[in-house]
Amino acid sequence: MSTAMNFGSKSFQPRPPDKGSFPLDHFGECKRFQEQFMKCLRASKFESALCRHESKAYLECRMERQLMAQEPLEKLGFGDLMDGKADKH
């Protein structure tokens, strides 16, 4: 008797992420921004909305160093932080 159960011929087909690869920061080029973001998260009890400036700075660093695809910051949800529309906390 087989212990494996076969519920049909469908098998899991992995697919790549929607935005493509997200390379690791092997050389620590954005480590300072990542640390600032994590420090803010810990200080705010992981309330990410309070750390949007740090998150934006981290993503800008990654895009500038080609560690992620260039995306308009407005598309990433930072439209209200552009062109001085929001005050820095």
Side-chain angles (χ1 to χ4, degrees):
M1 182 170 161
S2 174
T3 58
M5 299 179 85
N6 188 354
F7 290 100
S9 62
K10 292 182 180 181
S11 63
F12 176 72
Q13 293 293 324
R15 63 184 187 96
D18 291 337
K19 295 286 183 181
S21 64
F22 197 82
L24 297 175
D25 186 4
H26 292 289
F27 301 109
E29 297 175 79
C30 297
K31 186 172 182 72
R32 179 173 58 98
F33 296 99
Q34 184 260 345
E35 288 172 346
Q36 289 172 347
F37 177 60
M38 293 306 297
K39 181 179 178 182
C40 179
L41 283 176
R42 285 188 292 274
S44 67
K45 298 184 176 143
F46 295 91
E47 183 66 43
S48 62
L50 300 176
C51 301
R52 293 183 67 234
H53 289 279
E54 290 81 1
S55 176
K56 176 179 165 280
Y58 177 58
L59 293 175
E60 286 175 320
C61 177
R62 290 191 61 88
M63 286 189 283
E64 288 167 5
R65 289 158 180 84
Q66 299 176 0
L67 293 169
M68 67 180 281
Q70 289 286 331
E71 291 282 346
L73 289 169
E74 296 83 1
K75 189 174 176 182
L76 296 175
F78 298 105
D80 61 318
L81 300 181
M82 303 304 298
D83 302 317
K85 292 180 185 174
D87 293 329
K88 176 80 170 128
H89 59 91

